[in-house]
Amino acid sequence: MAGIAAFTLASCDDGNEGAIYNLPESEQGYSFLTESAGASYGPGYEEKTYSFKVARNFAGSEATINLTVDGANELFKVPSTVTFAAGETLADIVIGIEGMATGSSYNFTVALDSTNLSSIGETKGIAVTELQFAVDYSWTKMGVCEVSDDWSEETAEIDLEYAPEYNEEGKILCRFPNMEYYLLGPKYITPGYHFQFFLAKDTFDPLGTLAVAQLMGMTNGDDGNIYWIYSPASGHTFTRENNVYTLSGYVGYDEYGPSVKAGWYYNMEFKWTEGYPFELPDEGGEEEPEEEVGNGFGAIVAGGTADNYAGTYTATFVDDGKKEKSAEVTLTKVDDNTVSMTGLFGSTYELEDTGIMLNLFGGLLYFQPDQVMGKNKYANEVYVYSYSSETGYFYDEAMLVGGFKENGDIQFVNYSYNDGDAVDGFINVFMVGEDGPYLGADYIPCNVVLKAAEQAEAPAKSIKTVVESLNDARTFFDVKASNTKSFIRK
């Protein structure tokens, strides 16, 4: 900040050229703008260079000054000089950054000759700046855990993430992002500090944490920065029983200095409540194409907006799992979060089709059963439910989900987090007296595919990936166990 002040006072007063350009030679000089710079990138980053600025507090002729680099990995291409154009007070230092490894961090310093520093009175410019670079993992969600520890004395639901790019044999690198922030909140914790640990690939047994002390994102008076410490040599343990994990360790502190001391005992527990056990993707080789069944049941690859889905389609489906049929179907945008589907059912009972409402979440269409879709000629309200051609039951809570296939067709499939039997179709029913429900359509559409006349391919994935949307929908729709109802008569 001292360097910024020295530069600012000498160069921002456009109404006083003498103050800007006619400083005494003893005060003229150069300075970095900050004491640190750098950037963080993701896996497969494409940036080839990184640039930051150096300043001078006078607008002189062209000048070249020397730079000194200390501690830089040989992959970084750092120039030995920087040149100011005539009349310019800022110049760019451009560094080559290709070749940084995923999961790695780097730091080094770049310095100016201290005899050339800018100066206004006793205020000096910044002679050395530290460059910090990192390439983080992509961090993919693998579940949700109930996490608690005796440092916060709180419990919170926190996503469990793993680093797909981490490749040490037999290990998965996992983390709880912003763990102590979720436990203690913004009053005590700065976000951006994550608790990282290892699980076994095949068994998900605990294998320890990072070997270094990990910052919590908290300071504590004279104790300085606060850390998580795990040291098996000190008797610390990391164990599990089924999906419940327990870890012991220390809370450390650094007194704002370079070394970390053990301060307090630390215990944590987490229960892996969602996504356990997690199925890791296959490693190596080309991914096997998804096998299509019937009309491509299960081959959703993309979502879209309500505008993407709106249109007229030819629906093809299997009637109760037995015979191919078709119908003309219209999807209409109700609002940004709702699409109405009409025309799927026949009209034996002169159904006044007011539409099946589909909720749009994460780019996918979610059908929630037990909804009225119109009245028939008997003035009965006609309900639409989800249906399983395998069991012959219809369901009042199991959801169907629709999305785009590779070729642009829309496919309706079983929602993967339904609790119980899989559903593959729609059915509408109405009640007659005390006799129970009647099947109210000409057919029961299962494995429904909608084909638009001009749709060439799936739109770009919107908002979330298909997998993320399916997972996040569990909370959004408050997914419960699926109840069943059998037909009384047709």
Side-chain angles (χ1 to χ4, degrees):
M1 292 300 295
I4 296 175
F7 172 69
T8 302
L9 290 171
S11 62
C12 291
D13 183 0
D14 293 334
N16 188 344
E17 291 190 9
I20 302 173
Y21 302 118
N22 297 324
L23 291 170
E25 285 191 13
S26 61
E27 295 185 353
Q28 292 180 10
Y30 303 86
S31 174
F32 292 113
L33 296 183
T34 59
E35 294 178 345
S36 63
S40 180
Y41 303 93
Y45 71 100
E46 298 180 354
E47 291 83 351
K48 296 182 178 180
T49 61
Y50 173 84
S51 66
F52 64 105
K53 293 186 181 296
V54 62
R56 63 180 179 178
N57 61 3
F58 64 98
S61 58
E62 180 180 299
T64 298
I65 60 173
N66 293 326
L67 301 173
T68 303
V69 182
D70 184 27
N73 185 294
E74 63 182 9
L75 70 86
F76 294 100
K77 310 305 178 186
V78 186
S80 58
T81 62
V82 61
T83 299
F84 287 82
E88 295 295 330
T89 57
L90 292 172
D92 288 316
I93 299 175
V94 182
I95 297 175
I97 60 171
E98 291 185 273
M100 292 188 291
T102 301
S104 298
S105 59
Y106 309 84
N107 66 288
F108 57 93
T109 61
V110 178
L112 306 170
D113 185 343
S114 60
T115 61
N116 292 328
L117 281 183
S118 61
S119 173
I120 295 180
E122 296 182 359
T123 304
K124 301 291 185 181
I126 300 174
V128 180
T129 189
E130 182 180 20
L131 277 296
Q132 300 171 323
F133 296 96
V135 183
D136 202 0
Y137 299 106
S138 59
W139 295 111
T140 300
K141 182 176 177 179
M142 61 190 300
V144 178
C145 296
E146 291 180 358
V147 182
S148 62
D149 66 15
D150 56 5
W151 178 252
S152 67
E153 297 184 345
E154 299 289 345
T155 301
E157 286 194 344
I158 304 175
D159 286 351
L160 174 62
E161 300 178 338
Y162 81 104
E165 300 84 9
Y166 184 81
N167 60 7
E168 185 173 346
E169 186 174 356
K171 282 187 175 181
I172 313 168
L173 175 60
C174 304
R175 74 174 186 179
F176 289 124
N178 300 298
M179 186 177 89
E180 216 63 43
Y181 178 81
Y182 284 118
L183 291 169
L184 281 171
K187 181 178 179 180
Y188 300 101
I189 304 293
T190 301
Y193 297 89
H194 320 299
F195 183 71
Q196 298 187 37
F197 54 94
F198 298 99
L199 299 180
K201 270 188 178 178
D202 296 330
T203 63
F204 300 107
D205 286 335
L207 298 178
T209 74
L210 292 186
V212 298
Q214 302 184 65
L215 281 164
M216 283 189 184
M218 179 183 188
T219 58
N220 187 40
D222 294 337
D223 293 329
N225 297 297
I226 304 300
Y227 298 78
W228 295 291
I229 301 175
Y230 176 76
S231 172
S234 301
H236 299 160
T237 59
F238 191 9
T239 61
R240 81 166 174 128
E241 184 174 347
N242 297 320
N243 64 331
V244 178
Y245 294 73
T246 305
L247 178 144
S248 63
Y250 291 135
V251 171
Y253 63 99
D254 64 9
E255 297 177 323
Y256 303 105
S259 61
V260 180
K261 304 174 183 178
W264 304 269
Y265 289 108
Y266 175 79
N267 295 280
M268 72 169 292
E269 180 179 285
F270 62 90
K271 183 178 182 181
W272 192 345
T273 55
E274 296 182 20
Y276 175 86
F278 183 73
E279 185 174 346
L280 290 167
D282 293 334
E283 297 180 1
E286 295 185 1
E287 185 177 346
E288 291 290 330
E290 182 173 359
E291 181 180 354
E292 295 198 354
V293 180
N295 290 316
F297 186 64
I300 292 175
V301 298
T305 65
D307 291 318
N308 291 141
Y309 284 110
T312 301
Y313 301 83
T314 298
T316 58
F317 49 85
V318 179
D319 178 18
D320 194 12
K322 299 180 179 68
K323 187 177 180 180
E324 289 277 355
K325 290 195 176 184
S326 64
E328 294 304 310
V329 167
T330 300
L331 298 186
T332 304
K333 175 182 176 180
V334 177
D335 54 42
D336 288 341
N337 303 307
T338 314
V339 172
S340 171
M341 178 168 62
T342 56
L344 183 61
F345 289 98
S347 56
T348 299
Y349 297 96
E350 299 177 12
L351 171 66
E352 180 186 349
D353 188 353
T354 57
I356 299 169
M357 295 301 153
L358 307 170
N359 297 111
L360 185 59
F361 176 77
L364 301 180
L365 298 173
Y366 288 86
F367 165 67
Q368 294 181 283
D370 195 16
Q371 57 175 279
V372 176
M373 61 171 298
K375 291 186 177 182
N376 61 19
K377 67 178 181 179
Y378 304 115
N380 294 125
E381 288 188 330
V382 178
Y383 291 79
V384 60
Y385 292 88
S386 52
Y387 176 81
S388 169
S389 61
E390 180 178 355
T391 66
Y393 287 96
F394 62 91
Y395 300 76
D396 62 2
E397 286 183 350
M399 293 195 298
L400 289 162
V401 58
F404 288 98
K405 299 173 63 178
E406 289 282 3
N407 63 1
D409 293 348
I410 297 170
Q411 173 78 59
F412 284 94
V413 302
N414 175 64
Y415 174 51
S416 52
Y417 292 102
N418 285 331
D419 185 7
D421 299 326
V423 293
D424 60 353
F426 301 83
I427 183 173
N428 64 15
V429 300
F430 62 92
M431 305 295 292
V432 177
E434 298 179 355
D435 293 334
Y438 279 74
L439 173 63
D442 293 327
Y443 37 73
I444 305 172
C446 299
N447 296 354
V448 177
V449 176
L450 307 183
K451 181 180 291 293
E454 299 181 0
Q455 180 74 47
E457 59 184 15
K461 293 180 176 65
S462 67
I463 309 174
K464 300 172 182 287
T465 66
V466 170
V467 172
E468 288 172 331
S469 177
L470 294 173
N471 182 59
D472 293 349
R474 288 185 290 176
T475 300
F476 184 80
F477 291 109
D478 190 20
V479 175
K480 303 173 183 177
S482 302
N483 297 326
T484 65
K485 298 178 181 179
S486 62
F487 301 133
I488 292 177
R489 66 182 71 158
K490 293 186 180 182

